[in-house]
Amino acid sequence: ESMITAVIFDMDGVIADSEYFNAKAKTFILKTAGIEVDWHYHDKFLGTTHEYMWTEMKKEFESLDKEVLYYIDQWVKTRKELIDQEGLKPMPGVVDLIDIKEKGFHLAVASSSLKEDIMTNMNTFGITDCFEAFISGSECENGKPDPEIFQKAAEAIGQKAANCIVVEDSEAGVKAAKSAKNVKCIGYAPEGAIKQDLHQADTVVKVISDKLIEYIIGKISKIKNRQRSYRKRALSIFFIKNFLVKKRR
């Protein structure tokens, strides 16, 4: 098995706690056009490009009668205003994970967001210098779940795909990572986050912790196996209980 030498991060929901602002800004623009949607309506667009998202919404809602670029522009402006008002924070534990650079790892960001937004967030958190490359979805012909963005990120930092591990919080992102040949993927599903199907990831974690860092650097290889053993134990207890109940009858 190839040694991991590089970590590629998604941004929204992995580095930046920004999914709330993304959804709130979209909800506001849709409401302005007379469209009411449930908060979870936005779940299906997690990890996709701006162009794809607004193109799909224009197909769905006739009252969105302006150009896609107009809605992208309005959404970006509205989101920026919300962030300026409420403040953007990094996801818990992610700054400690980024410190893995000090162990000789190559780091990159691969996000469907605009390059301008990526750089603004990196500068806000003071972590720009930790990364060797920033790849935006706007620089790719194909958005996630296509693997192009991760392939470009690996190439930009001079690493083979087999030596890279991706940290992703969306179904589209995990699919993209696993479609990039030989890339490993960590699915990140923090408590309270939008529920996504991350089953294709090599391992899924709810918190970014020292255990995850040990997993990446190869000190441990059993985050996934440990989760499996818990499931097996739970199933064993379930079957034993059922067996005892039947026996009593």
Side-chain angles (χ1 to χ4, degrees):
E1 193 172 306
S2 300
M3 191 172 77
I4 300 300
T5 57
V7 185
I8 302 172
F9 293 79
D10 175 40
M11 184 182 71
D12 295 301
V14 173
I15 294 176
D17 193 359
S18 51
E19 298 295 3
Y20 160 78
F21 295 109
N22 292 342
K24 191 172 181 179
K26 271 183 278 176
T27 300
F28 175 80
I29 291 168
L30 291 174
K31 199 169 185 176
T32 304
I35 301 160
E36 295 279 350
V37 295
D38 179 80
W39 187 263
H40 290 291
Y41 166 78
H42 306 292
D43 294 5
K44 61 186 175 183
F45 296 121
L46 204 69
T48 62
T49 63
H50 300 357
E51 289 81 5
Y52 172 82
M53 180 171 64
W54 285 103
T55 299
E56 290 302 303
M57 285 193 281
K58 267 179 62 65
K59 287 178 191 173
E60 191 173 346
F61 303 114
E62 286 182 10
S63 59
L64 294 176
D65 54 4
K66 295 183 174 65
E67 294 296 316
V68 166
L69 288 176
Y70 168 82
Y71 290 110
I72 292 173
D73 185 55
Q74 291 301 303
W75 176 54
V76 169
K77 284 178 181 174
T78 304
R79 188 181 56 187
K80 186 180 184 305
E81 287 169 9
L82 290 170
I83 289 170
D84 288 344
Q85 288 166 18
E86 300 180 41
L88 185 66
K89 295 175 183 175
M91 293 297 288
V94 74
V95 175
D96 291 333
L97 179 54
I98 289 167
D99 279 345
I100 203 169
K101 176 183 171 64
E102 300 303 318
K103 298 183 187 295
F105 282 79
H106 302 274
L107 307 186
V109 173
S111 168
S112 296
S113 290
L114 298 173
K115 192 66 159 277
E116 180 188 344
D117 293 339
I118 295 171
M119 301 318 299
T120 298
N121 291 345
M122 297 302 108
N123 292 330
T124 299
F125 301 150
I127 55 175
T128 309
D129 293 342
C130 296
F131 297 92
E132 295 172 32
F134 304 92
I135 308 297
S136 162
S138 59
E139 299 172 273
C140 301
E141 285 186 28
N142 306 295
K144 300 173 187 177
D146 189 275
E148 182 184 354
I149 195 166
F150 293 122
Q151 290 165 340
K152 282 194 169 182
E155 190 179 332
I157 56 177
Q159 300 298 303
K160 292 179 180 176
N163 300 119
C164 296
I165 193 163
V166 169
V167 187
E168 259 289 354
D169 71 321
S170 72
E171 180 178 348
V174 168
K175 283 181 177 177
K178 295 310 294 178
S179 297
K181 199 174 178 184
N182 299 322
V183 170
K184 289 185 89 174
C185 182
I186 296 162
Y188 180 40
E191 292 291 345
I194 295 167
K195 296 296 179 210
Q196 293 281 294
D197 181 1
L198 307 179
H199 80 275
Q200 288 185 29
D202 294 280
T203 192
V204 178
V205 297
K206 288 186 176 180
V207 294
I208 293 174
S209 65
D210 291 344
K211 286 288 180 194
L212 180 57
I213 294 169
E214 288 178 15
Y215 174 77
I216 293 170
I217 66 178
K219 276 191 178 179
I220 60 170
S221 59
K222 294 188 177 178
I223 291 184
K224 188 176 180 181
N225 293 336
R226 200 170 292 155
Q227 288 173 342
R228 276 183 179 167
S229 69
Y230 287 146
R231 284 200 292 271
K232 283 179 181 175
R233 199 180 307 160
L235 282 170
S236 298
I237 292 167
F238 172 77
F239 286 124
I240 289 165
K241 280 182 178 176
N242 275 1
F243 173 75
L244 291 172
V245 168
K246 285 176 183 175
K247 204 170 183 185
R248 283 191 195 119
R249 287 175 187 166

